[in-house]
Structure formats: structure tokens, C-alpha cells
Amino acid sequence: MSSAVSDAQERVRATGGRAPDVFRPGAWVPMREHPESEPVDFAIVGTGCGGSVLAARLAEAGHSVVAFDAGAFYRPLEDFASDEREQEKLYWLDERISGGDDPIELGSNNSGKAVGGSTVHFQMVALRFRPEWFKSRSLLGYGHDWPVDWREMWDYYAKAEAAMRIAGPIAYPWGPRRGSYPYREHELSASALVLAKGAEALGVKWSPTPTATLSAPHGAAHPCVYRGFCKIGCATNAKQSMLVTFVPRALKAGAEIRDLAMVGRIETGADGRATGVHYHRQGAWRFQKAKNVVVAGYSIETPRLLLNSACPQHPEGLANSSGLVGKNLMVHVNDAVWGIMEEEIRWYKGPPSLAVCEHWNYTDEGKDFDGGYAFMSQGPLPTDFATSLVSNEGVFGHELRKWMGHYNHMAGLKVVGETMPQESNRVELSDETDALGLPIPKVTFSYCDNDRRLARHAENFQSEMLRAAGARSLYRTKSTAHLMGGCRMGDDPAESVVDASGRSWDIDNLFVCDGSLFPTAGGVNPSMTIVANTLRIADRIIAMGRRGEIG
Amino acid sequence: MTAGNETPDESPFVTPYPHYDVLQKWDSPSFNDATRRALTQRLTEVPRRRFFDAERYTRLRAVVDCVLPQPERSEAERIPVEAWIDAQLEANQGSGTRYVGTPTQREAWRRGLDALEAEAHARHGSGFADLSPEQQTALLKAVDNGAVDQAHWQGVHAQRFFREILLKDAVKIYYAHPAAWSEMGFGGPAAPRGYVRLGPDDRDPWEAAEERPPQPVRGLP
């Protein structure tokens, strides 16, 4: 439905040599434009944690870049309302088919549609992987090894955290030493203090959550005002989404961004190499020539685009000689335990997850499952909470309104739990098409026994902790969060879609750079790992360019 | 714990925040222009029926009044959930997920409402809208428990339709209305001012004061 607030979804904004200035209402910044008929160095599909970061770094290194996004280019200060329904405009609500034994909820649950990608609605939890997870097959006996060394990733995490001004503690209690976070930690909300109290009662460590929202001024943005609408878009620009960090950087460095531009197919030449992208904008299909194409559309749209670009030289889709495009899709177990506290919590205030426990990411004893999980304090907004309540409990009538009457006394703990990569969990093209004539993706997902054991362990532990914090009337909800995998990177062309640089084993001028590269999911929110991995890939591509290894 | 197995507590909801009205903050720093524009449309432009025929729309209204009863509100004050469900279907604005084996949301809503009607006739010999509130509640509980005649459902999974489509769509609309924010003591719109006091049992002067404890919920352990 059309927005009452802004015309960003109806009218392209990044055009005519200018793009929205996200820091000032009604204002513009200059934007370099590239003709469609001249091949740009890089056409990048998507502007989230992968695409916008890569666009900024490649443009800063002197490459010509055009980045496409299917979503709108918002100015948060004037386009974002304090209203869940209005802000549904931030989600990818185009129909997708979801099946399997445990079908994934898509849309608002894990899929953004805006310049800046899903970071415009992410909840800003900024965690690092446990180092061993980068070699989980070799060191922990499950999943697949990443083709990267954790120490290299550690350096890139620090760079990502600096660029996004992560607010966090001076000493993080788990894992190898990391420097203190660039911005100081936020004050803990009542909701976060519930986790702290429960953890101390059980004798496990907890921490203020490293969080991607400002705790001190930066540039044109003032610190977070604890408005609490983080999940539906920050209207004050404190949240360090890609929209206010790497997107402006990319523009300043000379990258062009095309909003409301849906890329439908990558074109390949007689030699099988990519020649550019077909995209739909302003009511017509257009073609942008490119020397290199980077797909950064996240774990569903990236495989969808590669599969839909099948051609005589690549009949099973691009980059798919391994047959693994779209396979090994992963989510996080996102089950929660909720309870009622005697005191008023009013969890709608502040970032929703200001306290975290990573105990079961770093402890291997006492587990009956592979992988790990973190969990965080919670603060869902009214419709978010109500939808989870009705879909899990089926409650309705006067009971439902009474239940919602406890909103200000509720507290909750919700897990981010690692699921195992399974080839049968996958993205395919269905035989139905959307309004643009593109095949609708079909997603198939089923938990394995290990995933279920992890979920049960987390449910028991979170229940114990919430009870120890003083909550009563506990109940549980089931959900999933995040998407990872679908175009695994690796060292073996038979076992991965791309190499450690995100470069397709099959097509040397085609890259993937987003969360779909993850060989394993890890037990933390994925955004910082996507940004750090992209910064690493960017340096590799820039170095290859200097050596003349890029077309 | 499943509320669906309990005897429903049908005493009406009473707000713990009787003197709180989130709209009193309209001209305060808790509201910005974007929020005022969105809410002005919600409060003043209730969509006309366009998707459903009159009979199905009447049935939808009866279903809405059963899943979110508002006996304390006049017709003018009532949150017209059914109007926005109809508008959402007319615009064909989906949620981004269609589960395998579930028809499109338009078709699921049509078949689901017709199945409720068929169930009502089979059980009571009259339409859903003509049943007593107790009969309607019992029928919806049966739907939620899957105790239905599959022949009425034309391939729609009854519980999934009830929870994932009907209830979810209804609460997404109801709890996006300022009247619902006020009754639950939600702070409501909060840009640009936000909040200062974050601790337990602490609140800013522009937040709701709890005047009586929330009512017990029988379904809760």
C-alpha cells in the first residue's frame, strides 16, 4: 500500500546528478553518473552490508561503480514514522514461497528492501564470530571451514566496528582480547538488567551488547535518544545502518547508486563471461554494461539472480558448476522465552537487545549439540509482540487484550542459535512469476536433529535464567532470524560457489559479496561478519586490480 | 502451554492506564511530521469496502469482533480492523511469505471466511455472524485445534489460516492504532524526543502511569 509519508517508493531519487542527503531533510548530495553504454568497472547488485561497503571501497580505490537497489532511497529524518505499519515499507514483501518441514517466515522477519538493505531495519547487535568457527570442520568437527584465517577477520572486525562507531564495553568477556569499542557502551535498560540479574544468579557471564547506534555525537547525527523503534528504522540517524555510513561514503567517492532498480538478469557473452546487468527502473527494462558484476542481494535474491541468468554456456545458472548455488541456506534459531516481572520494564525504550550472553558460544562442555548460541534481552514493539503471541499461542478475544495489557511488565530472552548447513535447505526458482515476469523464489527449510537439540538446550537455559531473574508465567515462542549461505565460499571449486575473494570459480568477472557466502552460520547476528568479510574482499579485489588481474 | 486448551476467560479487558491517551502527545516533541502524516491518514481515512462482497464483509466484521472484542467503545471509537484487512487485500499487499500448500492471501482469506461460514452452518444451522459470542468463540477454538471438517476448507490448513493469516493480520492492524497503544500503556511515537529514564519502575513524565495492575490471564501459567 502506498505510503502516507513519503514518495520514495514511487519516484526514483538518485538521478540527475544527485542523490538524497540522508542527513538533511529535502537536501541532496552530488552523484557521479555513468552511461549505460560504457562498461563500468563494477556493477553491484544490492546496497546492504555487502554491496554498499564494496561500492564505497572500490570507488575509493578509483574504480567506476554503479550499485543497484530494488528498494527506495530514504532520508530517515523526514521519511521514517514512529509507526510499525507505515514502516513496513522497509521490508521485502514481494511474494516468496516457503516450504520444508520448518518453513521460514520471510518478509519483515529477515528481508529488507531499501537502499542500505536489511541494516535499515536491523536491531544493531554487533557481535563477532568465535574464532574457531572459521575452521569449524577442522577444529570443532561440524560444518565447513571458511577459506579465511580468524586473525585476518579479527583485524577486519575492528575496521568494521570503527567505521560503524560501535558502542560497546571496554572489556568484552568472551573470546580473544579485542580492543575497546570505539564508542562507549550504552546505559542498560530495565529489559537488559533482567538478563544481567538472571545471569548473575546462575553464575554465568553477561555483557552490555556491542551495538551499532551512537553513544556520542558523530558528524550530523546526535547520540541515540532511546526511542526504541530501531527495528522499523531509526528516525534520528543514530543507528549506524549502511544508509548513513557506507552509502554516503560510496557516493562521495564517486559511486553511482540507482534506487528502485530491480536487477533481473546478468547477461553473459559468447565467451561465457558477464557483460552487464538487465534491470527494471521507471517502468522499463534497461541494460548496464559492466566489466565485472558483483551480486550482493542476500541469501535469497543472490541465488535467484544467478539461477535466473542461466544461458547456453551456463545452463544450470551462473557460477553453478558445483551445483551449490542456492544450497546450504541457513537461519538462526530465534526461539524466545517470555515472562512477567513484578516491576515495570517498559521494554519499548532503548535499543531492544542491550544485554547479551554468549556463554554457550564459548563453552563446549555440557552441550548435546554442535554449534553455539547467544541470547539477548528483548523489546518488541506492540504489533511485533502481538503477532508472535497469536501465531505461537493462538490466543484471541478478551484474553488476547488482557495478555497484551501485561506489555509493560514483560521481559524476554531470545536466542540466536546456529543451524547446520544442509544441502537440502535451499533456494530454487518456482514456475510462478512476479509482476516483472521474474520467477518467484521457492525456499525450502527443515531443521536437523542437531538444530532441534540446540533449540531445546537454549529454551531450557533461557527459561532457567528468566526465572532466576524473577519472571513468572513463562511461555515460549518459536521463530527464526537472519539468512546465511546459499553461495558458499571455499577453497575447492567442487565444494563451493566462489573463492575466498568472492570470485566465481566459473566466471572470472562475476563476484558474490554478501551473507550468502557464509559456509556456516555461527551463533551471532551476521551483519558485522558480512561487513568485515566485505572489507576483506574489497582489499583483495583492489589488490587484484593493481596486479592487473581484474577485467 | 496452549491457551487454546483452556476455558476462555470472557470477562472484558480493562486498561491499567485509564487516563493515558497517546494522542495527547501530538504536538509534543514525541511526534514528528512523518508520524503525524501516517496517523492522520489512519485516523481520518478509514478505507471503504472494496475487496469483499457485502456478505463476506459482514462475516469478517463478526470474526474481528470475536478475536478482538471492543465492547467498551462506541461504533465511532471502535478500531475498524476489517476495513484495513479489506484494503490490504484490495491492494494485494502481502507479507513476503506464502507457505507451500497455502493459496495466495486473497484466496486464503476468501476460502477461510467461507469455511467459517460452512462450519457455523454445520454446527448450528446458521451463519457465523448470527451465532452467539460464546458459539463464535467455541467455533474459532475448534478451528485453532484443527477440529474441523476438511471438506469445508478447500485445501486451506485451518489452524495455519487462523493463526498465520487471520489473527496476525488482525493484530497487526489493531495494535497499530493509537487507541490500542493507549490501552496497553505503550509510549507510542517517540521521535525526536525519545526517552531519558530507562530503569525498572521508572518512567518519563510523557509516559503512561499505571493506575491498576494488569488483569490476570487465565491462560497464563
Side-chain angles (χ1 to χ4, degrees):
Chain A
M1 283 185 270
S2 64
S3 160
V5 171
S6 121
D7 66 352
Q9 289 170 287
E10 276 83 51
R11 207 158 299 155
V12 299
R13 285 181 166 180
T15 186
R18 64 183 197 175
D21 179 346
V22 294
F23 298 109
R24 273 165 279 274
W28 303 90
V29 294
M31 181 178 76
R32 188 176 158 196
E33 289 183 290
H34 300 273
E36 290 174 323
S37 55
E38 289 285 317
V40 286
D41 292 341
F42 291 90
I44 301 178
V45 184
T47 62
C49 286
S52 74
V53 175
L54 196 63
R57 293 290 295 116
L58 294 178
E60 286 166 356
H63 292 288
S64 59
V65 173
V66 176
F68 300 82
D69 204 289
F73 203 146
Y74 293 108
R75 293 185 191 92
L77 297 178
E78 64 181 7
D79 292 325
F80 289 177
S82 297
D83 183 76
E84 288 177 272
R85 205 156 170 77
E86 166 68 25
Q87 293 301 115
E88 285 187 5
K89 64 192 177 191
L90 299 184
Y91 301 127
W92 194 287
L93 299 177
D94 307 83
E95 194 162 68
R96 289 156 164 175
I97 300 168
S98 185
D101 296 340
D102 304 284
I104 306 169
E105 182 185 351
L106 301 160
S108 63
N109 196 42
N110 49 27
S111 302
K113 191 177 195 178
V115 172
S118 293
T119 64
V120 181
H121 75 252
F122 80 155
Q123 300 195 63
M124 314 176 298
V125 173
L127 302 178
R128 298 184 182 186
F129 261 41
R130 172 180 167 179
E132 288 89 334
W133 292 343
F134 293 107
K135 292 285 177 279
S136 64
R137 170 52 60 190
S138 306
L139 297 177
L140 300 168
Y142 70 86
H144 307 276
D145 289 350
W146 290 49
V148 297
D149 185 278
W150 76 269
R151 283 157 295 209
E152 193 184 2
M153 285 299 291
W154 230 237
D155 290 340
Y156 282 107
Y157 275 124
K159 287 175 181 158
E161 289 158 0
M164 293 167 68
R165 291 122 201 144
I166 302 301
I170 289 170
Y172 194 68
W174 298 281
R177 211 187 124 59
R178 57 188 78 170
S180 59
Y181 283 93
Y183 275 48
R184 74 177 185 189
E185 68 193 45
H186 288 278
E187 178 188 346
L188 294 175
S189 62
S191 159
L193 289 169
V194 171
L195 184 148
K197 189 176 167 189
E200 285 169 10
L202 296 190
V204 297
K205 289 184 277 192
W206 65 277
S207 174
T209 308
T211 303
T213 187
L214 296 174
S215 60
H218 174 79
H222 55 67
C224 175
V225 297
Y226 304 125
R227 167 178 170 255
F229 284 78
C230 322
K231 190 183 171 184
I232 57 166
C234 179
T236 71
N237 278 340
K239 177 199 238 181
Q240 297 297 288
S241 70
M242 298 301 110
L243 179 59
V244 302
T245 54
F246 283 96
V247 166
R249 250 176 85 172
L251 288 167
K252 196 170 175 197
E256 178 182 350
I257 290 184
R258 294 192 192 145
D259 55 340
L260 302 179
M262 177 67 187
V263 175
R265 213 166 72 82
I266 299 163
E267 188 61 54
T268 41
D271 58 358
R273 299 178 80 241
T275 58
V277 296
H278 297 275
Y279 68 104
H280 193 271
R281 197 184 194 209
Q282 294 180 292
W285 283 102
R286 314 182 62 88
F287 184 69
Q288 173 67 52
K289 286 188 179 175
K291 294 177 190 165
N292 298 275
V293 172
V294 183
V295 189
Y298 208 14
S299 291
I300 294 175
E301 294 307 314
T302 288
R304 181 191 188 195
L305 178 58
L306 293 173
L307 294 172
N308 194 46
S309 301
C311 59
Q313 293 92 335
H314 307 282
E316 303 304 318
L318 304 188
N320 200 20
S321 63
S322 64
L324 290 174
V325 168
K327 307 268 179 71
N328 297 292
L329 179 73
M330 294 166 285
V331 297
H332 283 128
V333 177
N334 204 217
D335 299 353
V337 179
W338 314 91
I340 297 176
M341 303 294 290
E342 188 59 35
E343 63 268 30
E344 291 181 331
I345 301 298
R346 297 180 188 265
W347 61 11
Y348 54 81
K349 295 189 280 189
S353 297
L354 282 170
V356 60
C357 179
E358 280 206 73
H359 178 78
W360 292 107
N361 273 336
Y362 287 87
T363 304
D364 294 324
E365 295 78 42
K367 284 179 182 169
D368 60 346
F369 57 90
D370 287 329
Y373 66 81
F375 57 90
M376 288 132 237
S377 54
Q378 296 299 309
L381 291 169
T383 78
D384 195 17
F385 184 59
T387 50
S388 149
L389 187 55
V390 297
S391 79
N392 279 278
E393 298 285 338
V395 60
F396 67 92
H398 294 290
E399 274 186 76
L400 169 60
R401 289 183 69 196
K402 283 183 219 168
W403 207 325
M404 291 298 289
H406 290 269
Y407 182 77
N408 283 346
H409 287 266
M410 306 275 332
L413 301 174
K414 194 183 249 192
V415 68
V416 171
E418 181 168 14
T419 63
M420 293 293 121
Q422 302 180 68
E423 266 194 44
S424 51
N425 290 337
R426 63 196 186 274
V427 179
E428 301 163 291
L429 303 180
S430 72
D431 45 21
E432 298 178 55
T433 53
D434 66 12
L436 295 180
L438 300 170
I440 292 175
K442 180 183 172 195
V443 179
T444 303
F445 188 84
S446 306
Y447 283 134
C448 64
D449 288 343
N450 188 81
D451 301 339
R452 293 198 187 89
R453 285 198 298 275
L454 179 148
R456 200 154 46 233
H457 190 282
E459 178 184 312
N460 291 338
F461 193 74
Q462 291 185 120
S463 301
E464 203 184 334
M465 186 177 285
L466 198 56
R467 218 173 275 124
R472 62 182 169 81
S473 299
L474 264 52
Y475 73 99
R476 290 154 196 89
T477 57
K478 296 202 168 297
S479 183
T480 69
H482 312 136
L483 299 165
M484 288 124 322
C487 288
R488 180 163 82 213
M489 59 178 180
D491 286 325
D492 178 353
E495 287 294 320
S496 55
V497 174
V498 298
D499 67 13
S501 304
R503 189 182 220 163
S504 157
W505 293 111
D506 305 340
I507 302 172
D508 70 350
N509 68 342
L510 176 65
F511 294 79
V512 175
C513 187
D514 59 17
S516 58
L517 297 178
F518 284 33
T520 52
V524 294
N525 311 52
S527 51
M528 294 312 289
T529 303
I530 304 175
V531 173
N533 193 42
T534 301
L535 290 170
R536 184 189 63 80
I537 286 174
D539 281 352
R540 290 176 74 117
I541 293 177
I542 291 164
M544 287 190 283
R546 292 205 181 109
R547 294 195 300 265
E549 296 166 13
I550 295 283
Chain B
M1 198 282 309
T2 300
N5 296 331
E6 306 286 330
T7 312
D9 172 5
E10 290 306 330
S11 68
F13 168 76
V14 181
T15 175
Y17 310 91
H19 294 95
Y20 174 62
D21 178 1
V22 74
L23 292 177
Q24 285 179 358
K25 293 191 255 189
W26 190 272
D27 293 318
S28 80
S30 286
F31 278 58
N32 61 12
D33 283 342
T35 302
R36 282 187 281 258
R37 286 199 296 277
L39 292 187
T40 297
Q41 187 188 53
R42 185 155 318 142
L43 293 167
T44 62
E45 297 173 30
V46 176
R48 285 181 302 106
R49 172 179 67 83
R50 291 171 68 193
F51 179 76
F52 286 116
D53 58 35
E55 193 202 332
R56 282 202 186 96
Y57 194 76
T58 303
R59 198 182 315 148
L60 173 63
R61 159 88 196 241
V63 171
V64 163
D65 282 337
C66 185
V67 300
L68 284 161
Q70 307 174 57
E72 78 281 22
R73 297 195 176 108
S74 68
E75 191 63 23
E77 292 166 337
R78 183 180 166 277
I79 303 172
V81 173
E82 64 282 359
W84 284 294
I85 291 175
D86 185 89
Q88 170 186 320
L89 294 171
E90 176 65 21
N92 207 14
Q93 174 62 73
S95 64
T97 313
R98 169 154 55 99
Y99 294 103
V100 167
T102 305
T104 62
Q105 62 153 357
R106 285 178 163 182
E107 198 50 36
W109 263 108
R110 274 197 208 102
R111 289 189 208 171
L113 284 180
D114 289 352
L116 291 178
E117 188 73 350
E119 295 281 349
H121 275 287
R123 283 155 202 256
H124 304 289
S126 60
F128 186 90
D130 298 322
L131 302 185
S132 71
E134 292 74 23
Q135 289 171 323
Q136 290 176 340
T137 299
L139 198 158
L140 293 183
K141 293 264 179 201
V143 169
D144 190 46
N145 290 329
V148 295
D149 183 347
Q150 297 299 337
H152 297 147
W153 288 82
Q154 301 173 72
V156 172
H157 187 288
Q159 190 200 53
R160 193 172 281 167
F161 165 72
F162 184 61
R163 291 191 179 193
E164 298 297 326
I165 296 178
L166 192 159
L167 285 181
K168 265 192 178 177
D169 282 353
V171 298
K172 269 185 178 173
I173 292 163
Y174 184 86
Y175 287 104
H177 196 281
W181 300 339
S182 296
E183 78 181 32
M184 61 194 285
F186 171 53
R193 176 163 56 181
Y195 301 101
V196 179
R197 294 162 187 83
L198 305 182
D201 279 334
D202 205 359
R203 65 181 174 87
D204 288 321
W206 55 92
E207 294 182 76
E210 185 183 291
E211 297 179 42
R212 57 173 85 100
Q215 295 155 283
V217 178
R218 198 183 291 170
L220 276 175

